[in-house]
Amino acid sequence: MISKSVNILDNKFGLALRSELYSPKEIIDFARLADGSSEISHLFFPDIPIGSESIELSVASLAVTKRVRIGSGVLRLLEHDPKILARRLETIQKISRNRFVLGIGVGSPGPRPGETIEAMFAQLEDTKKRFESSDSFSSDIKEELKFPEVFIATLRAGMARRSISRADGLLLNFCSPRYAQRLISSLDSYAKEEETSRNVSFACYVKVFFAKDQQAADKLLIEEFVKYDSFSQYHKMFEEDGVASLIEASRERLSTNQRIEIPSRLKEICLSNPSKEELGEMLQRFRKAGIDLPCAYPYFAPNEVNEYKIEVMKMILESIRS
């Protein structure tokens, strides 16, 4: 466990690239762009069933970069054999000079979520022990290797409390700055009650939807809200934020092919076709809420051309610098 990395992440930002939206060449190009921006400290590849495998994407991107930390965001750890994963992590850390980031989560927790979560933690500890005890490399190389920085996907306070002693960072997704601030405040109060310190940083995916046509971008945004609202844990979060009814109304407009109009409350969570200034302000709102590493997470309409995506990526980097 490292000490809280707030100092490391001061004024830093992350970028998340959803593999299904990009060609392999685009992934490499955007990794290089991120590496060239001193404000970007982390690049995450969400591990989704229909996209490319996040560890392989990370390795390819680490090979063409020199500075930025790159990794899974997040890997369903229970799907991986700890012995094999430990060997993979050793190799990646060796060739990347310890720049890999291990983002993990449980995925669908099933009917006994508490047991599933504890099984994930046990597997993380097993993987660490195998990493540290391996004799795959010579002693001088082994001394230089470090177990990857660990980010654990967190949505609710209970998961955050369970994770603070096992992670370097907690990774939130698709929430408002208001919700993030409440969660962080709750965790700080818990740590104080337990007379311990909160030695974790907070990262958060900030979803941003882009399309040349504004209605297409707005539709992407609403479709994502509707999809996530179908998951009970996210629906509860949306209820707490007072936006569940707005998502339901938007769902109805979407199903009847009415013109999409995004309520202002939903724009507090994510944006469609924002200007450089609007995106910069959104990322700063998350930082002011206590998020140490706001991560821009761009989505694109299907079949958007490479030139447009590059233009958007450059705009994202400019919004971070401003």
Side-chain angles (χ1 to χ4, degrees):
M1 170 62 94
I2 62 172
S3 61
K4 186 173 184 293
S5 52
V6 166
N7 291 335
I8 297 174
L9 298 179
D10 272 351
N11 299 316
K12 298 298 182 182
F13 297 86
L15 183 65
L17 299 180
R18 191 176 180 88
S19 62
E20 65 177 304
L21 303 176
Y22 309 99
S23 69
K25 182 181 184 303
E26 288 173 331
I27 290 287
I28 296 302
D29 288 344
F30 298 150
R32 286 183 172 130
L33 275 177
D35 197 51
S37 172
S38 60
E39 293 84 4
I40 298 288
S41 64
H42 289 68
L43 174 59
F44 291 101
F45 291 109
D47 196 55
I48 54 178
I50 60 175
S52 299
E53 211 279 338
S54 63
I55 293 182
E56 270 65 26
L57 289 175
S58 299
V59 171
S61 300
L62 286 164
V64 299
T65 56
K66 298 179 179 179
R67 180 193 56 80
V68 69
R69 293 177 176 270
I70 303 175
S72 56
V74 296
L75 196 75
R76 293 172 296 281
L77 189 62
L78 291 174
E79 296 178 0
H80 294 260
D81 179 273
K83 180 179 180 180
I84 296 174
L85 181 59
R87 289 184 62 198
R88 297 178 76 188
L89 295 178
E90 284 182 310
T91 305
I92 296 170
Q93 291 297 75
K94 179 176 181 289
I95 63 178
S96 71
R97 296 185 179 180
N98 297 313
R99 288 191 291 123
F100 183 72
V101 180
L102 182 61
I104 62 172
V106 296
S108 177
R112 297 178 177 176
E115 293 181 11
T116 305
I117 292 168
E118 288 305 317
M120 181 192 73
F121 290 143
Q123 187 146 317
L124 174 62
E125 188 61 29
D126 187 12
T127 304
K128 283 184 177 180
K129 287 180 179 178
R130 292 176 184 274
F131 180 98
E132 293 165 355
S133 63
S134 172
D135 56 2
S136 300
F137 300 111
S138 61
S139 59
D140 59 329
I141 293 177
K142 192 64 184 176
E143 288 178 2
E144 296 174 0
L145 293 180
K146 297 179 182 178
F147 192 79
E149 185 179 22
V150 175
F151 276 81
I152 296 179
T154 304
L155 187 65
R156 312 294 299 175
M159 184 64 175
R161 291 173 181 177
R162 290 183 177 193
S163 301
I164 56 174
S165 64
R166 285 128 161 168
D168 302 303
L170 304 183
L171 180 57
L172 306 181
N173 176 47
F174 214 10
C175 66
S176 67
R178 183 185 302 107
Y179 181 86
Q181 189 171 39
R182 289 199 304 269
L183 181 62
I184 295 169
S185 177
S186 171
L187 190 60
D188 285 338
S189 297
Y190 170 78
K192 185 176 181 180
E193 291 171 4
E194 295 297 311
E195 297 183 347
T196 186
S197 58
R198 170 171 69 85
N199 292 322
V200 293
S201 297
F202 273 88
C204 186
Y205 285 160
V206 182
K207 298 192 176 190
V208 199
F209 300 85
F210 294 96
K212 291 181 180 178
D213 176 73
Q214 183 62 52
Q215 270 291 291
D218 291 346
K219 184 180 179 182
L220 285 175
L221 184 152
I222 293 301
E223 287 175 340
E224 191 76 355
F225 268 112
V226 169
K227 180 177 76 173
Y228 272 81
D229 189 54
S230 68
F231 305 133
S232 59
Q233 64 270 37
Y234 280 93
H235 178 72
K236 187 172 182 179
M237 180 184 71
F238 292 145
E239 283 186 323
E240 291 179 14
D241 252 356
V243 298
S245 60
L246 297 175
I247 297 172
E248 180 57 32
S250 297
R251 184 203 311 269
E252 294 177 4
R253 295 183 69 88
L254 192 66
S255 65
T256 55
N257 294 318
Q258 298 182 56
R259 180 177 177 82
I260 299 297
E261 296 179 0
I262 302 175
S264 59
R265 288 293 302 279
L266 296 188
K267 293 180 181 179
E268 295 176 8
I269 300 173
C270 57
L271 299 170
S272 62
N273 279 354
S275 67
K276 177 180 70 175
E277 292 75 20
E278 288 170 335
L279 179 55
E281 290 172 2
M282 167 72 89
L283 294 171
Q284 288 298 337
R285 283 198 293 273
F286 276 91
R287 191 180 296 286
K288 290 176 182 177
I291 296 296
D292 305 298
L293 187 67
C295 301
Y297 188 166
Y299 281 66
F300 292 93
N303 303 318
E304 289 291 1
V305 298
N306 175 260
E307 291 77 13
Y308 176 71
K309 294 176 187 176
I310 291 175
E311 178 184 329
V312 167
M313 287 295 177
K314 289 180 178 178
M315 184 277 285
I316 290 174
L317 296 181
E318 289 176 4
S319 73
I320 288 171
R321 296 189 190 105
S322 62

